[in-house]
């Protein structure tokens, strides 16, 4: 029997897509990676995932797991061979259970992030992973890429919110590691090894995720800083004065906000003259009054110390959401402005101001008039440090010609600061060769040994993260 | 040249101990595991650790890394073959750097935990790992076993406080993974794989650890509950009302506190009639006034709901420390009472009350008059659920005769609740066979594949965690 016939017999013919039906699964949403699959399968249970792995192993086909297909590094679309099977987790979409006393929730891999957030909120609880794609990305994809987002400062990445996994291995076995335990020192940390491995070591089919009590109040504020050192000084003060109530600390450079103002003129622009704008969020377990007093005191002392110029404190939930909306509109404004070269980098917080000054200057010297659109999660040391061609230039041509040189300037500077070339997006296909060049050879050797040990026949997403 | 001669030539003769000089390193502090080493080496640098690994590999000898030798599962003492080399990290004891803006500290593996806490405190910062052995245990050992302690509820285990490692591999290569980054998605999570692997996958020589701002105030309270369900209800309320200010939530059963009262009659006994006593701690970034108001409000609402009977709120730092001292005296009081059978278990918080009721009854039926000394980190679902023989019996004889049956009753019940047989102590030699029996075969197969991949010749701590 052919592989496709076997898959049809295992899952039902309607859950095996080929041709035009498969097309949406063969390209990433940024349309940078276009592949071709032998078929797309949509298993409806963990047992059906096992059946897919078994059939693929027998036929020597490899498998690319795909959640919401919102990834940024081409890690969940097939290669161009036409021989891979895309395993969509779309039908693995049940919330299996919620334990309010243990503060845990078991979700299948294909659950959309927003659905998980809502399931928690309906019970008066918080699921603290939040990112721009939350309306379509899935828990499985969040874990496969160890997604970050806007609340990492307080609650951590996807990894830190996960207490257990159910995984189908390359051998087609099911590892039931759906522990809801805060502590478990019984052997090697397989959970964290699977998290962030981008579907190359196992297929995540379900996960036990941590919940938190909903805070009594959340407050958003903006502050204007004249330089990045001021933003870092404000961060230090905020960590000191707000402690764990500080749940978000985002930074936006003036060029990033100028793009938002240009493409979304209807949006508010509360601090139009700021070189740097900080968006900070405070959550309080007690009351809005207490939160407001704490944030006002923080802004007052930052003003007195000269870390900030002006500041705005949201007066309502609607105003808070409007401020966040400005922050979240930056990537879209960038897309509307034209193709650009994106970098998702992390640095020690203490190195950021120096890095940006040096790298801005180096890029300006090499590409006069180019614009650095710099924004991100300063509290985590994570910048989206993107380059847009000079206004007069044809953006796509600039990108085609100069992307490699731009990346070299940026990544050389990142590595010199002991930074990371992928803070929260992963490696996938996009950064695989860069990783080979930049990562410690000792670490690469360990990664390769682990890949061979757990997936000796290269069944799972070969060629992603590591060479195939 | 013999292995010992090679080691003497690499490290200097005074750093290679044999015979009586080696004896203190050959037995664990509870004196349950007595081995014999070919030699004990005390390298003074990462390069010297590499030299030891190289020499041992060439001679086919295996290596047991040892920090403060305070482990509870026999993971850091040699076996009885007389052929192993104990690698003491005692001289790797420098704090290499502190970055106050990045909130990180780089410590070598042999740094004593308390020294690291002090280095942070001197800079007005907090290093949030705290456990009974902190005066002698080391950061390397804390990471090798993923140590827990009393602040896990808020700050996590050793794993959660680590941002990067320097590791010498079984091949004698140095992996410099001393990242101080909050986010880094460049490949497999080697850091978390090494953490908790008990020296079987690599030798940790240094680590970058997370610091936190010191809170403005810390407050300790005790509350009396008539049953464990009341303690869990108080926990739910405390998480809700205190949020991240809740930094500790310990529980102590009456038999545990009775042992303390018997062996340390000079210690305070603030709630003498409580069936269960909760010790909770609140840290506040703002002020003691705010912390006190929050804890008082919590205790008041818990009283109104009937979760607790009486309560005591410490009036001073000295009083707080006295309350903690009672909690920390339980293990010593147990030792003074005589040999006992220890269990370091984790359960979903929602399962704890039922587990304890059923297992207490099963133990009482099997061993009439035996005493369950039950205490631990309820906020993390982690109990130290220990059995002391009935008062009249000869304790050592009881232990020799019944330990296996007691363990079977307890661990069967733990596994039935999806719990863990080792919450924070690890596996080592003590629980290796129990792990083989209890852990999912799929997980064991992955663990063995990883061990073979990273340490194919069994150079690193063979026979610990997994069979040799």
């Amino acid at each position: 029997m052919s592989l496709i016939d076997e898959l049809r017999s295992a899952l039902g013919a309607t859950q095996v897509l080929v041709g035009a039906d498969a097309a949406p699964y063969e390209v990433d949403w940024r349309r940078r990676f276009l592949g071709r699959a032998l078929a797309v399968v949509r298993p409806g249970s963990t047992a059906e995932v096992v059946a897919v792995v078994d059939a693929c192993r027998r036929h020597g086909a490899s498998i690319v797991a795909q959640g919401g297909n919102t990834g940024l590094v081409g890690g969940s679309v097939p290669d161009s061979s036409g021989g891979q099977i895309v395993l969509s987790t779309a039908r693995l979409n049940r919330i299996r259970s919620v334990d309010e006393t243990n503060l845990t929730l078991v979700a299948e891999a294909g659950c959309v992030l927003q659905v998980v957030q809502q399931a928690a909120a309906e019970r008066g609880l918080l699921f603290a992973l939040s990112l721009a794609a939350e309306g379509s990305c899935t828990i499985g994809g969040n874990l496969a890429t160890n997604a970050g987002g806007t609340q990492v400062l307080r609650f951590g990445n996807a990894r830190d919110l996960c207490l257990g996994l159910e995984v189908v291995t390359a051998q087609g076995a099911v590892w039931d590691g759906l522990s809801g335990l805060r502590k478990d020192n019984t052997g090697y940390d397989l959970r964290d090894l699977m998290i962030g491995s981008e579907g190359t070591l196992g297929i995540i089919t379900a996960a036990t995720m941590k919940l938190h009590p909903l805070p009594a109040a959340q407050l958003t504020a903006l502050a204007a800083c004249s330089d990045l050192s001021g933003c870092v000084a404000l961060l230090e003060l905020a960590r000191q004065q707000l402690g764990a109530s500080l749940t978000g600390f985002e930074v936006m450079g003036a060029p990033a906000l100028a793009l938002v103002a240009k493409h979304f003129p209807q949006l508010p622009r509360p601090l139009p003259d700021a070189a740097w704008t900080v968006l900070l969020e405070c959550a309080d377990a007690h009351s809005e009054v207490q939160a407001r007093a704490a944030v006002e005191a923080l802004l007052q002392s930052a003003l007195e110390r000269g870390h900030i110029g002006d500041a705005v404190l949201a007066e309502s939930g609607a105003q808070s959401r409007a401020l966040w909306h400005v922050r979240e509109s930056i990537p879209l404004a960038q897309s509307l402005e034209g193709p650009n070269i994106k970098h998702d980098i992390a640095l020690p917080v203490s190195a950021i101001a120096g890095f940006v000054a040096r790298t801005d200057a180096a890029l300006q010297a090499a590409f006069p008039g180019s614009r650095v659109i710099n924004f991100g999660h300063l509290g985590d040391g994570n910048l989206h440090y993107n380059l847009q061609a000079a206004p007069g230039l044809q953006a796509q041509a600039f990108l085609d010609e100069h992307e490699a040189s731009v990346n070299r300037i940026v990544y050389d500077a990142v590595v010199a600061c002991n930074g990371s070339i992928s803070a929260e997006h992963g490696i996938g296909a996009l950064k695989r060769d860069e990783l080979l060049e930049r990562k410690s050879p000792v670490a690469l050797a360990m990664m390769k040994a682990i890949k061979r040990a757990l997936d000796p026949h290269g069944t799972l997403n070969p060629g992603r993260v590591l060479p195939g």
Side-chain angles (χ1 to χ4, degrees), chain A:
Chain A
M1 214 170 8
S2 76
L3 174 54
I4 293 204
D5 286 343
E6 270 199 49
L7 293 168
R8 285 183 177 134
S9 129
L11 307 189
T14 54
Q15 303 306 340
V16 180
L17 315 180
V18 294
D21 292 341
Y25 301 83
E26 294 176 322
V27 64
D28 72 308
W29 69 274
R30 288 209 290 158
R31 308 196 70 79
R32 288 198 64 161
F33 297 88
L34 175 63
R36 205 161 63 78
L38 182 67
V40 175
V41 296
R42 297 162 39 99
S45 66
T46 304
E48 288 189 359
V49 174
V50 170
V52 171
V53 173
D54 276 341
C56 288
R57 283 177 67 218
R58 271 184 282 103
H59 288 269
S62 59
I63 302 169
V64 181
Q66 186 178 102
N69 195 9
T70 62
L72 290 156
V73 292
S76 70
V77 288
D79 63 24
S80 56
S81 68
Q84 294 194 298
I85 299 297
V86 172
L87 187 155
S88 164
T89 58
R91 292 175 63 228
L92 302 171
N93 62 357
R94 286 184 314 137
I95 297 205
R96 291 192 189 164
S97 61
V98 182
D99 182 338
E100 297 181 33
T101 299
N102 197 44
L103 288 181
T104 49
L105 172 155
V106 180
E108 292 183 346
C111 286
V112 168
L113 173 51
Q114 208 163 60
V115 171
V116 177
Q117 294 168 342
Q118 282 161 359
E122 281 163 15
R123 291 161 174 88
L125 298 169
L126 172 71
F127 179 59
L129 189 68
S130 178
L131 45 94
E134 62 196 25
S136 46
C137 66
T138 62
I139 286 293
N142 296 150
L143 289 166
T145 58
N146 187 26
T150 53
Q151 299 189 84
V152 173
L153 178 61
R154 163 70 183 93
F155 297 103
N157 283 30
R159 164 169 292 128
D160 303 296
L161 292 168
C162 179
L163 290 173
L165 294 177
E166 179 186 88
V167 170
V168 175
T169 70
Q171 290 72 37
V174 179
W175 170 43
D176 176 358
L178 284 175
S179 149
L181 305 176
R182 258 77 185 166
K183 286 181 170 176
D184 183 16
N185 280 353
T186 56
Y188 303 156
D189 186 3
L190 302 172
R191 177 186 74 210
D192 286 321
L193 185 62
M194 291 291 167
I195 295 173
S197 70
E198 304 186 32
T200 66
L201 298 180
I203 298 172
I204 295 170
T205 50
T208 305
M209 307 301 293
K210 271 188 214 172
L211 305 176
H212 289 86
L214 270 179
Q218 260 183 316
L219 263 194
T220 310
L222 291 188
C225 298
S226 56
D227 55 28
L228 256 181
S229 303
C231 302
V232 172
L234 176 61
L235 171 64
E236 292 195 68
L237 206 60
R239 290 186 308 210
Q240 179 69 46
Q241 293 193 14
L242 302 182
S245 298
L246 180 67
T247 52
F249 196 99
E250 304 282 308
V251 72
M252 303 171 277
L257 289 176
L259 282 191
V260 174
K262 175 177 170 189
H263 294 283
F264 304 105
Q266 73 281 16
L267 291 184
R269 210 180 171 184
L271 300 168
D273 303 319
W276 295 92
T277 303
V278 167
L279 184 161
L280 69 83
E281 190 167 79
C282 169
D284 194 278
H286 185 260
S287 66
E288 176 160 345
V289 172
Q290 185 163 300
R292 197 166 288 275
V295 175
E296 280 170 358
L298 167 69
L299 296 173
Q300 187 56 39
S301 34
L303 207 60
E304 284 161 13
R305 288 161 206 228
H307 301 330
I308 66 174
D310 203 357
V312 173
L313 185 52
E315 293 298 328
S316 66
Q319 225 178 70
S320 282
R321 281 188 296 278
L323 298 180
W324 273 105
H325 188 58
V326 173
R327 160 65 184 85
E328 282 158 3
S329 299
I330 298 174
L332 196 53
Q334 268 211 289
S335 298
L336 293 172
E337 184 74 2
N340 58 83
I341 304 171
K342 293 194 197 300
H343 305 103
D344 164 41
I345 59 177
L347 299 155
V349 171
S350 50
I352 284 183
F355 165 89
V356 169
R358 286 191 303 278
T359 314
D360 279 7
L363 288 170
Q364 212 42 244
F367 308 103
S370 65
R371 294 163 288 167
V372 175
I373 309 301
N374 188 352
F375 63 100
H377 318 292
L378 186 67
D380 316 314
N382 178 193
L383 296 179
H384 298 303
Y385 186 87
N386 303 339
L387 195 80
Q388 206 104 25
L393 297 181
Q394 210 282 318
Q396 186 61 49
F398 178 84
L399 195 149
D400 292 343
E401 193 177 342
H402 297 300
E403 182 164 18
S405 331
V406 169
N407 287 347
R408 183 153 298 278
I409 291 172
V410 174
Y411 292 147
D412 280 353
V414 166
V415 170
C417 295
N418 291 316
S420 168
I421 64 166
S422 182
E424 58 176 8
H425 295 166
I427 299 299
L430 180 66
K431 295 186 183 170
R432 189 195 69 181
D433 295 340
E434 199 74 48
L435 186 76
L436 284 179
E437 193 184 325
R438 304 278 180 183
K439 187 98 176 173
S440 127
V442 180
L444 281 173
M446 286 195 276
M447 286 171 55
K448 287 175 187 170
I450 291 166
K451 171 69 175 173
R452 277 194 304 270
L454 298 187
D455 181 22
H457 305 296
T459 305
L460 301 176
N461 216 5
R464 301 315 196 282
V465 184
L466 291 170

